[in-house]
Amino acid sequence: IVHVRAFGDAMYPSEIYPWSHLLTGTQGGDPGFDPLAYMVEKTHEAGMQFHAWLNPLRIQSNGAPSILAPNNLYSQWRSDSDKDNDDWAVDWEDGKYFNPAYPQVREKIIDGVREIVENYGVDAIHFDDYFYPTTDTAFDEKAYQAYTESVGDGVPLTLPQWRMANINTLVSGVYSAVKSVNPKVQFGISPQGNVTNDLNMGADVETWASQKGYVDYLCPQIYVNFDHPLLPFNDTADQWRQMTTAEGVKLYIGLAVYKAGSEDADSGTWKGKTDVLQKEIEYARELGCDGIMLYSWDYMDTSQTQEEVANVIKIFNGESGN
């Protein structure tokens, strides 16, 4: 599962998005080869699937990338003479985001997904957990006002309902686009483990989990352990298992390898333990989940996580964890 679009950009030659700055240091800089083609080829040679991971709305965050390329959609929309598209991207706090309220914006995101599936042998498209970056009404005030006025004498959706409807339209559009190109390619989302947080950011996980036509899999990021004071792993996993009822929608559990063996994560509840991930995998199996996903690759081979990862490998080899 590899990020191929983190900031409205691309890890491959695209007709829609500029080259990612993560390749050369400058957004729009051509690295001289096709990283996505290479990664798909090597992943398949190793007998694995390749899931192309995209952040659907983020364009810039915390100063990254420092400069947007001239062919970045944000740059194009803000520099042209068309005032109608100025609201298609939003400046918010320290970032810039696509505004999914507009059909034209959603189509650009969908077209970008279609471009990947048409041109590469990816096994899945994967969205991460970032949707609306805030619950503040100011983020999309203009678009929401236009929507309420369009309703006339009818009863408009509340702002949270309207935002979820926008994201649902995007998600179902991506699903349809993927299947229209190659029905064998999956579309999955890894929302936050906290369902309330998901709903607040417009991610209607309850619908995705219970109705066909949105995703092939969900992988909630349950990046906590059993002793978490507010969001215990077992209660959270139970909630997702009970919620995921749609035929054909698989449930994977995302686990926080990066917290294994840490001194201070989650009020220090990982400290001194070597079997948290092992027990979480065993619990997910008992629940009848379809698998687990580990975040992140960086932490699969570090001194901090060594004992936890060794116990995970034992489970996968059919041995006891300890």
Side-chain angles (χ1 to χ4, degrees):
I1 307 166
V2 183
H3 233 325
V4 302
R5 180 175 311 126
F7 299 98
D9 53 16
M11 292 281 194
Y12 53 92
S14 170
E15 295 184 2
I16 304 170
Y17 299 97
W19 283 106
S20 172
H21 75 283
L22 298 172
L23 297 168
T24 64
T26 302
Q27 188 176 84
D30 188 340
F33 73 110
D34 187 338
L36 180 53
Y38 177 86
M39 290 188 289
V40 171
E41 177 186 354
K42 293 301 180 182
T43 301
H44 288 168
E45 285 181 3
M48 297 187 292
Q49 292 188 4
F50 187 94
H51 293 206
W53 170 14
L54 292 77
N55 186 301
L57 302 184
R58 185 174 62 194
I59 301 171
Q60 187 180 54
S61 180
N62 295 316
S66 57
I67 299 175
L68 299 182
N71 63 329
N72 187 293
L73 290 172
Y74 176 94
S75 304
Q76 294 180 46
W77 294 337
R78 290 300 172 88
S79 63
D80 64 21
S81 59
D82 184 0
K83 298 299 182 183
D84 291 338
N85 63 19
D86 287 352
D87 196 43
W88 291 3
V90 178
D91 293 282
W92 185 257
E93 295 182 345
D94 59 358
K96 295 176 172 60
Y97 303 88
F98 289 117
N99 189 343
Y102 295 94
Q104 299 92 329
V105 176
R106 297 193 296 264
E107 281 305 311
K108 284 292 184 184
I109 297 169
I110 293 168
D111 286 345
V113 169
R114 187 181 291 109
E115 181 182 51
I116 294 172
V117 180
E118 285 178 343
N119 295 330
Y120 298 91
V122 299
D123 300 284
I125 296 293
H126 183 104
F127 276 9
D128 56 24
D129 61 316
Y130 296 101
F131 291 94
Y132 281 94
T134 180
T135 58
D136 196 310
T137 59
F139 178 85
D140 47 7
E141 190 171 23
K142 178 181 176 181
Y144 182 62
Q145 181 179 347
Y147 157 71
T148 57
E149 291 173 355
S150 72
V151 173
D153 294 332
V155 179
L157 298 173
T158 64
L159 179 63
Q161 291 172 335
W162 176 75
R163 285 178 172 177
M164 281 196 286
N166 293 333
I167 298 299
N168 278 347
T169 301
L170 171 63
V171 169
S172 63
V174 169
Y175 180 88
S176 297
V178 168
K179 299 305 178 182
S180 69
V181 177
N182 187 346
K184 294 182 179 180
V185 175
Q186 303 169 72
F187 174 44
I189 299 178
S190 54
Q192 291 191 21
N194 187 321
V195 173
T196 300
N197 286 354
D198 290 320
L199 299 177
N200 284 339
M201 66 174 63
D204 188 6
V205 293
E206 295 172 334
T207 294
W208 306 344
S210 62
Q211 296 183 27
K212 296 176 65 174
Y214 289 95
V215 296
D216 294 297
Y217 71 78
L218 288 169
C219 180
Q221 300 175 18
I222 309 183
Y223 293 168
V224 293
N225 59 28
F226 294 92
D227 299 321
H228 192 281
L230 301 177
L231 199 74
F233 176 85
N234 52 319
D235 292 347
T236 309
D238 289 350
Q239 180 182 20
W240 281 94
R241 178 66 281 175
Q242 293 163 12
M243 196 166 65
T244 307
T245 58
E247 180 183 353
V249 175
K250 294 184 180 297
L251 176 65
Y252 305 119
I253 302 296
L255 302 181
V257 179
Y258 70 98
K259 289 184 178 180
S262 77
E263 296 285 323
D264 53 3
D266 299 336
S267 304
T269 50
W270 295 75
K271 183 178 179 180
K273 299 176 182 176
T274 63
D275 60 355
V276 177
L277 297 177
Q278 170 204 338
K279 289 181 177 178
E280 290 184 339
I281 292 171
E282 291 171 343
Y283 193 87
R285 287 178 170 178
E286 290 172 4
L287 279 181
C289 297
D290 297 287
I292 57 102
M293 294 187 184
L294 303 172
Y295 183 81
S296 69
W297 173 256
D298 292 1
Y299 286 86
M300 291 296 288
D301 185 20
T302 68
S303 58
Q304 173 193 312
T305 62
Q306 185 176 11
E307 290 184 88
E308 285 265 18
V309 171
N311 283 331
V312 168
I313 292 172
K314 287 180 180 179
I315 294 176
F316 292 154
N317 287 335
E319 307 169 30
S320 60
N322 289 314

